[in-house]
Amino acid sequence: MKQSKISRRSFLLGLGAVSAATVLTACGGSSSASTAASGSAASGSSVVYRTLDQIKESGTINIGVFSDKNPFGYVDENGEYQGYDVYFARRLGEDLGVEINFVSTEAANRIEYLQTGKADVILANFTVTPERAEEVDFALPYMNVALGVISPDSNVITTLDNWNADDQMIVISGTTAETYLTKEYPDIPLQKYDSYATAKNALENGNGVAWANDNTEVIAFAKQNTGYTVGIPSLGSQDTIAPAVSQGNTTVLDWLNEEIKALGEENFFHKDYEETLVDTYGLDYEDELVVEGGVTGGADAASSEAASSEAASSEAAASEAASSAAAQ
């Protein structure tokens, strides 16, 4: 399957105020010169992205997913991507009318892949946080999540208080678990790994006494592997998982938001859950985990909507102010 991406344009600045740009393409992909100016962030920024029109023109969308996080994103025995995020990704490609190039990503490089243009959209259990929202733009959420802690049955960890300084907690670099523990429990030594697979192996090998990660993932691990218990099923605040795009890529962001709202009208994400997650979690967790139409309920819903439209509101306010000044 072909992959299309464009690099950051290189501007030659001179007294004549004439600039020339060179767009690099890979694997036979191409980009439209007429839309190149809107295909990246402001001049001087290191962020690169493709607009919705550029994606449609190329015929392929690059979506970053996990390849080793069953049941959310993984490669099956036939070499095919499967899972909750992948099911969603396939529907996006279908509704957009383009092919999908799945880009295998790890937690630590999700932001980098967006900023360098390697992925147009990230669908890899990406928890929305204020810190991440400073580097990428999140669409409306499609899942609820909290942190959880799993440990061997021989020594079930049920609290993080009075932690033994000689014990280490396993985390994956670039996850909310790493951020939360570093801030809230700075005295707990962290053993950091780059991928889900290496963290899983570390737990199985006894390299740490416990593993902190999204509760959806540690609950799934405990159900699929005997000898482990999620002693802390919910740690910290309740958060949401959402698609992410490069900061400033409003055309793709706006389309994603409208798509998520439309999918909510047909209960798409409940169907996604029943096709991909029910064997792991059963029906009892369905309504707790699934978010339809980007609405999480109450203040959370208002917060999600506000976060998604903050940039647009700021631009509108600036435009209105400029118009008023011109009128005066």
Side-chain angles (χ1 to χ4, degrees), residues 124-138:
N125 276 111
F126 213 1
T127 304
V128 179
T129 69
E131 294 80 12
R132 289 171 176 170
E134 293 179 357
E135 298 186 83
V136 300
D137 286 342
F138 285 103

Side-chain angles (χ1 to χ4, degrees), residues 243-311:
V245 301
S246 294
Q247 205 165 51
N249 195 354
T250 56
T251 58
V252 175
L253 181 66
D254 291 345
W255 181 83
L256 280 171
N257 284 335
E258 292 306 313
E259 176 76 353
I260 290 170
K261 291 176 185 178
L263 291 176
E265 295 177 0
E266 60 181 75
N267 283 326
F268 169 83
F269 292 102
H270 278 81
K271 182 180 179 182
D272 188 352
Y273 181 99
E274 291 162 12
E275 291 286 337
T276 62
L277 301 184
V278 71
D279 288 344
T280 299
Y281 298 108
L283 295 174
D284 292 342
Y285 283 97
E286 184 170 357
D287 289 334
E288 180 181 339
L289 294 177
V290 172
V291 174
E292 288 286 5
V295 180
T296 57
D300 289 339
S303 177
S304 296
E305 291 278 4
S308 298
S309 62
E310 182 178 355

Side-chain angles (χ1 to χ4, degrees), residues 170-187:
I170 296 168
V171 297
I172 300 174
S173 298
T175 61
T176 51
E178 178 192 12
T179 303
Y180 176 83
L181 291 172
T182 300
K183 179 180 178 181
E184 301 296 335
Y185 293 90
D187 294 332

Side-chain angles (χ1 to χ4, degrees), residues 48 100 140 161 167 230 262 285:
V48 177
I100 301 172
L140 294 172
D161 297 331
D167 292 336
V230 181
Y285 283 97

Side-chain angles (χ1 to χ4, degrees), residues 40-46 49:
S40 64
S43 178
S45 170
S46 61
Y49 58 77

Side-chain angles (χ1 to χ4, degrees), residues 8-73:
R8 181 178 58 184
R9 296 170 60 215
S10 178
F11 288 93
L12 303 177
L13 301 179
L15 293 177
V18 178
S19 63
T22 301
V23 178
L24 303 180
T25 60
C27 304
S30 63
S31 63
S32 170
S34 63
T35 56
S38 60
S40 64
S43 178
S45 170
S46 61
V47 178
V48 177
Y49 58 77
R50 298 193 301 165
T51 65
L52 191 66
D53 285 343
Q54 288 174 318
I55 291 170
K56 288 180 178 179
E57 182 181 347
S58 75
T60 301
I61 185 170
N62 303 317
I63 300 183
V65 296
F66 287 128
S67 60
D68 62 354
K69 286 191 176 182
N70 188 350
F72 298 97

Side-chain angles (χ1 to χ4, degrees), residues 71-93:
F72 298 97
Y74 65 99
V75 177
D76 65 15
E77 63 276 8
N78 298 317
E80 298 290 333
Y81 280 91
Q82 304 291 351
Y84 185 75
D85 291 337
V86 175
Y87 189 96
F88 178 26
R90 288 201 170 99
R91 179 59 184 269
L92 293 181

Side-chain angles (χ1 to χ4, degrees), residues 13 36 62 64 83 99 102 110 128 154 190 201 203 222 259 270 278 306:
L13 301 179
N62 303 317
E99 295 183 14
F102 288 112
R110 289 174 293 194
V128 179
S154 58
L190 301 181
N201 290 337
L203 180 66
E259 176 76 353
H270 278 81
V278 71

